[in-house]
Amino acid sequence: MQLMRIGDRGAERPAVRGDDGTVYDLSSVTGDIDGAFLAGDGISRARAALAEGGLPQLPEGGRIGAPIARPGKVVCIGLNYRDHAAETGAAIPPEPIIFMKAPNTVVGPNDTVLVPRGSVKTDWEVELGVVIGKEARYLDSPESALDVVAGYVISNDVSEREFQLERGGQWDKGKSCETFNPLGPWLVPADEVDDPGKLGLRLWVNGEQRQDGTTADLIFGIGHVVWYLSQFMVLEPGDLVNTGTPAGVAMGMPGQPYLRAGDVVELEIDGLGRQRQVFADA
């Protein structure tokens, strides 16, 4: 089972996708796939409704929105793969590097992504996104931290490297441009992902593969990241945690082939679906 949101931007309706690929309207169960739904045992209720067989089927071809409503916050971990740190010339961090991304950057997995005005260094980053399902405050251990995870999702942490690294201040302004976080196509419940620490991540630009990594190479694993964040902030249901990207970004490649209008980015993670974005000028 996978959770989705289908419809025009701002008018998405909650949906559930069966393992056979059929998508059903979940409006009779919840108004949206949001923090309240996740905190209120919504995944179990959706699973039961799907098993009962009475949900109306949705027609094919509708826009796929982000699988969660706008999160309260988007928390990101930088330089969390050894090969990515190496390609950028950075040292392995002794503790997770935390930065924030504006929640309104979250868009659907196939929506147009806008290259910011004045940008010459817009980059891609395929990442495993972690969606929080329970309040997380001063968690006891990395092992117990996995209990607050609702599910997993593909996240493209689009970045503008000049804004991020060359214009002073914090990374956020190179991460928070509009449309800079395509998410989805669906949210897979945590109990349906056998091992989130062994998922392959891949990304292509204009048909050429740029990234091919695995979450087995995370410096700080998923449980550690969620536990660590809970020592500094309260994570709430519906929050999104982007866990880092493997090697293969434009910044680390010869010639630094940054994205331009007309470029097509496709990305996938094992068991979590696939995204496709066409880039355009803002």
Side-chain angles (χ1 to χ4, degrees):
M1 178 191 83
Q2 301 90 40
L3 296 170
M4 305 180 69
R5 296 169 68 249
I6 306 293
D8 294 339
R9 190 175 302 184
E12 296 92 344
R13 63 174 54 196
V16 59
R17 179 180 183 270
D19 290 335
D20 64 354
T22 305
V23 179
Y24 301 92
D25 190 343
L26 203 58
S27 299
S28 61
V29 176
T30 182
D32 210 343
I33 309 296
D34 55 12
F37 168 82
L38 296 172
D41 201 27
I43 290 177
S44 294
R45 291 187 287 117
R47 186 175 284 134
L50 179 63
E52 289 171 3
L55 297 173
Q57 185 173 335
L58 287 173
E60 298 181 2
R63 171 186 172 270
I64 300 174
I68 57 172
R70 182 182 294 185
K73 53 184 171 291
V74 180
V75 190
C76 306
I77 307 299
L79 302 175
N80 200 22
Y81 287 78
R82 294 180 184 276
D83 55 0
H84 177 54
E87 73 175 346
T88 61
I92 301 298
E95 296 188 38
I97 295 173
I98 302 171
F99 62 92
M100 309 293 282
K101 199 171 178 102
N104 65 356
T105 59
V106 173
V107 295
N110 305 317
D111 287 350
T112 299
V113 174
L114 300 177
V115 177
R117 296 179 184 180
S119 168
V120 293
K121 294 184 178 181
T122 294
D123 207 345
W124 58 82
E125 292 190 5
V126 59
E127 305 200 8
L128 177 64
V130 176
V131 177
I132 302 300
K134 302 176 183 177
E135 183 179 274
R137 175 179 178 270
Y138 296 115
L139 296 173
D140 292 334
S141 68
E143 292 74 25
S144 65
L146 293 176
D147 293 338
V148 308
V149 174
Y152 300 98
V153 66
I154 304 174
S155 187
N156 188 357
D157 179 17
V158 184
S159 310
E160 213 296 338
R161 303 301 187 190
E162 182 185 10
F163 298 176
Q164 176 189 353
L165 301 171
E166 301 173 27
R167 298 285 296 272
Q170 300 182 356
W171 286 8
D172 300 30
K173 66 186 179 186
K175 296 284 189 170
S176 291
C177 304
E178 60 182 327
T179 71
F180 262 28
N181 202 145
L183 196 70
W186 47 69
L187 172 67
V188 178
D191 61 4
E192 297 193 20
V193 177
D194 291 337
D195 189 348
K198 294 183 179 179
L199 298 177
L201 310 87
R202 294 165 291 275
L203 181 144
W204 295 260
V205 178
N206 299 326
E208 296 186 15
Q209 188 163 9
R210 300 299 194 193
Q211 293 185 276
D212 185 8
T214 170
T215 55
D217 293 336
L218 283 166
I219 297 170
F220 304 103
I222 295 158
H224 185 96
V225 164
V226 175
W227 165 79
Y228 184 85
L229 291 174
S230 79
Q231 310 306 305
F232 301 97
M233 65 186 76
V234 177
L235 298 175
E236 298 178 330
D239 284 352
L240 172 66
V241 179
N242 289 332
T243 57
T245 197
V249 299
M251 180 172 61
M253 296 180 62
Q256 297 184 323
Y258 289 111
L259 295 165
R260 300 287 185 268
D263 286 339
V264 178
V265 174
E266 298 170 276
L267 50 156
E268 65 183 19
I269 297 178
D270 295 344
L272 303 186
R274 188 177 177 94
Q275 298 185 0
R276 181 183 188 274
Q277 298 107 35
V278 177
F279 281 64
D281 288 327

